[in-house]
Amino acid sequence: MDPIQATLLVAAGVATGAFNAVAGGGSLIGFSALIAVGIPPLSAKFTSTVAVFPGNVASVAGGFRDLPPGPDIRNVLPAAVLGGVLGSVLLLVTPTRVFDMLVPFLVLAASAILAAQDRLDRLVRSSALRQGRPHPATLQVSIGLGGLYGGYIGAGFGIVLIAVLALLQREALTRTVAMKNLLSAVISFTAVVLFVLFGTVDWVGVALLAPATVVGGFVGARVLRRLPGGPLRAVVVAFGVIFGLVLLVRNVL
């Protein structure tokens, strides 16, 4: 990897951490940058997942005191683990050529989820007015599907999880976010273990991205939070749409 490519990955790592801290969806930047420097898409997905995992752990540590009681956590962790394992295994058994064909659509799907975040936020806020509780199986299945999405696609799955939790549980927002962070870390951990053991991780890419995401997260928390999250998210969405369309033209059409 030449100095220009290394610099690009470091900059992408900083942007990934910063956008994750402010508006979400930053992992889409890191994944795209890995492809841009010549890492095959499937290996880029494995590498991106491993690189952003330390940030997931840091989020859990930061909100540990806000987590719901132990029984509530134990009730949903198995579904998250199962979904994460299934999504990761599905990705591992996907032929490289098939994944190359799917990547543009996955990038566009992640961009669509980011674009819909404000709408999901409104649904989350309105859910506080609902009466009664859904059947526990509904929550388990929903989290399992969120884990499946996280293990296979990854980008934007924190948004998916927080929407599921807020719509199906009656908890304070701080607890919902803390639970989302924990589930994201658990799902990411299952994916990291499987990808390291059975996937092709570019460790140079990890070495460049991982520390940069930590720096970016700090910068995002301290500086970029002064800026409105909507326009920042729009930048990521626009980037994802353009990059997805470029990949679509190159790989599919």
Side-chain angles (χ1 to χ4, degrees):
M1 188 175 296
D2 61 45
I4 294 178
Q5 292 175 321
T7 302
L8 174 62
L9 283 186
V10 170
V14 173
T16 295
F19 277 95
N20 279 341
V22 180
S27 56
L28 186 60
I29 298 174
F31 171 65
S32 303
L34 289 167
I35 295 177
V37 301
I39 297 175
L42 193 55
S43 179
K45 174 63 174 71
F46 299 149
T47 303
S48 175
T49 301
V50 175
V52 301
F53 177 66
N56 293 329
V57 175
S59 297
V60 175
F64 184 79
R65 293 182 179 180
D66 295 322
L67 285 171
D72 290 346
I73 297 174
R74 290 192 293 270
N75 287 339
V76 296
L77 280 182
V81 172
L82 179 60
V85 169
L86 289 177
S88 302
V89 170
L90 180 61
L91 182 62
L92 286 167
V93 301
T94 299
T96 301
R97 178 56 186 162
V98 173
F99 187 76
D100 290 349
M101 296 283 287
L102 289 175
V103 162
F105 301 103
L106 300 181
V107 170
L108 292 172
S111 301
I113 289 175
L114 293 175
Q117 185 173 4
D118 286 339
R119 185 180 297 273
L120 291 174
D121 286 344
R122 287 194 293 270
L123 287 174
V124 166
R125 289 192 294 269
S126 66
S127 69
L129 301 177
R130 72 193 179 326
Q131 299 294 325
R133 284 179 175 266
H135 193 279
T138 303
L139 180 62
Q140 300 286 346
V141 171
S142 299
I143 289 179
L145 291 175
L148 179 67
Y149 175 90
Y152 194 86
I153 300 178
F157 86 102
I159 299 171
V160 174
L161 284 178
I162 197 169
V164 167
L165 289 169
L167 290 171
L168 298 179
Q169 286 189 316
R170 305 184 71 173
E171 296 284 359
L173 182 59
T174 53
R175 285 194 170 189
T176 299
V177 172
M179 176 70 83
K180 181 270 295 183
N181 289 338
L182 175 63
L183 293 178
S184 296
V186 168
I187 293 167
S188 296
F189 177 73
T190 61
V192 165
V193 171
L194 291 171
F195 295 164
V196 168
L197 292 177
F198 304 108
T200 305
V201 177
D202 188 299
W203 290 105
V204 174
V206 171
L208 292 170
L209 274 178
T213 60
V214 175
V215 174
F218 179 83
V219 172
R222 291 298 182 93
V223 179
L224 294 185
R225 282 192 182 279
R226 300 174 184 176
L227 303 176
L232 293 173
R233 191 184 311 115
V235 172
V236 180
V237 171
F239 168 81
V241 170
I242 293 171
F243 187 72
L245 292 176
V246 170
L247 291 176
L248 185 64
V249 172
R250 189 181 72 180
N251 296 350
V252 179
L253 301 180

